[in-house]
Amino acid sequence: MTGNAGGTAEGGGTGLPASIEAAWGLRERPSKGPRPGLTLARIVDAAVGLAAAEGLGAVSMGRVAKELGVSTMSLYRYVAAKDELYILMLEEAIGAPPPPTDPALGWREALTWWATAQREAFHRNLWSLRLPVSGPPSTPHMVAWWEQGMVALDGTGLDDGTRISVILLVSGFVRNEALLMADLDAAVGASGASARQVREGYGRTLRRLADPARYPSVARLLAEGGLEEDGEPDADFTFGLNCLLDGVEARIRRQG
């Protein structure tokens, strides 16, 4: 860790960079900053605005500094590296989880709520799906999501280690599904055609290329029009999540 630019606070003992400690309210901004109006919050806001408008690739320390009208070096008094900035951007964009469901509804409903709320947060900030995952939650809102996921499994009899594994499994599914849907939507948008037109075009191409003798299952799907149906927009997400939760439920029953 480095010093004031982003290292561990003296005597803090958290092992976290200074910018992350600031997210927990453990640090004040530098008393002698290069510009009085510059704050960590303004830096993160500017970075999030860039990502929302132009994608994550537009975010660099130099570009953020330009947006704020300050020198690039002045940012390093508040955040030591772009990786730290990414963590703080996610913290701001995703925010705290909404209030949990009624505990009386049971673990499955609670975990479904948790996963759905997380998916909605990602869809509001699609750029956040491009952020590298560099470690476990380390900021207040992200730890709050973790906490609520763990609490959702109260009453299941699962030990804490297993609960963490379940949370990782479900959150990984949510993130992957949101990323896949975002990529597909972007591809459809770039084509200039409707989603149905894209599916129909793909189906026609496959019919010409996929020999039924070699790809019988694909041929059957095409013959039945399975690729051209307009299903419920969230059907695949609901199906996948239910499959995962069926597995968790089976695990709970086995140990009961």
Side-chain angles (χ1 to χ4, degrees), residues 93-156:
I94 301 301
T101 58
D102 183 351
L105 293 176
W107 72 267
R108 186 162 183 141
E109 289 76 10
L111 205 54
T112 297
W113 159 85
W114 182 84
T116 302
Q118 193 175 82
R119 178 177 184 248
E120 291 171 353
F122 278 131
H123 277 286
R124 290 193 299 269
N125 304 277
L126 292 175
W127 57 267
S128 67
L129 294 165
R130 309 295 175 183
L131 289 168
V133 179
S134 57
S138 61
T139 51
H141 292 332
M142 296 302 100
V143 172
W145 281 95
W146 194 4
E147 170 70 13
Q148 288 205 5
M150 295 282 284
V151 170
L153 292 165
D154 281 352
T156 61

Side-chain angles (χ1 to χ4, degrees), residues 12-225:
T14 67
L16 295 172
S19 61
I20 308 303
E21 288 187 336
W24 287 95
L26 300 178
R27 280 198 171 226
E28 301 293 336
R29 71 175 180 85
S31 58
K32 291 185 179 180
R35 184 153 180 164
L38 187 61
T39 64
L40 183 60
R42 285 192 63 208
I43 293 169
V44 176
D45 284 344
V48 168
L50 276 173
E54 302 179 32
L56 187 63
V59 178
S60 67
M61 299 295 274
R63 182 68 189 282
V64 172
K66 183 178 179 181
E67 291 292 311
L68 294 170
V70 300
S71 69
T72 301
M73 289 305 299
S74 66
L75 268 59
Y76 288 100
R77 292 184 60 85
Y78 298 83
V79 56
K82 190 164 70 172
D83 287 347
E84 289 178 25
L85 183 58
Y86 281 165
I87 293 171
L88 296 168
M89 289 169 64
L90 184 67
E91 172 76 356
E92 177 176 316
I94 301 301
T101 58
D102 183 351
L105 293 176
W107 72 267
R108 186 162 183 141
E109 289 76 10
L111 205 54
T112 297
W113 159 85
W114 182 84
T116 302
Q118 193 175 82
R119 178 177 184 248
E120 291 171 353
F122 278 131
H123 277 286
R124 290 193 299 269
N125 304 277
L126 292 175
W127 57 267
S128 67
L129 294 165
R130 309 295 175 183
L131 289 168
V133 179
S134 57
S138 61
T139 51
H141 292 332
M142 296 302 100
V143 172
W145 281 95
W146 194 4
E147 170 70 13
Q148 288 205 5
M150 295 282 284
V151 170
L153 292 165
D154 281 352
T156 61
L158 297 175
D159 60 54
D160 286 340
T162 304
R163 290 193 199 193
I164 291 172
S165 294
V166 170
I167 292 306
L168 286 174
L169 178 67
V170 174
S171 61
F173 165 74
V174 171
R175 183 184 180 91
N176 184 69
E177 191 274 345
L179 180 59
L180 176 61
M181 292 300 103
D183 284 349
L184 290 175
D185 287 346
V188 169
S191 73
S194 69
R196 184 175 183 85
Q197 288 172 329
V198 170
R199 290 198 304 272
E200 289 174 345
Y202 177 66
R204 287 193 295 271
T205 298
L206 271 188
R207 287 188 186 94
R208 290 195 296 268
L209 298 176
D211 181 355
R214 185 174 182 184
Y215 306 103
S217 296
V218 172
R220 185 170 63 252
L221 174 68
L222 293 170
E224 294 172 355

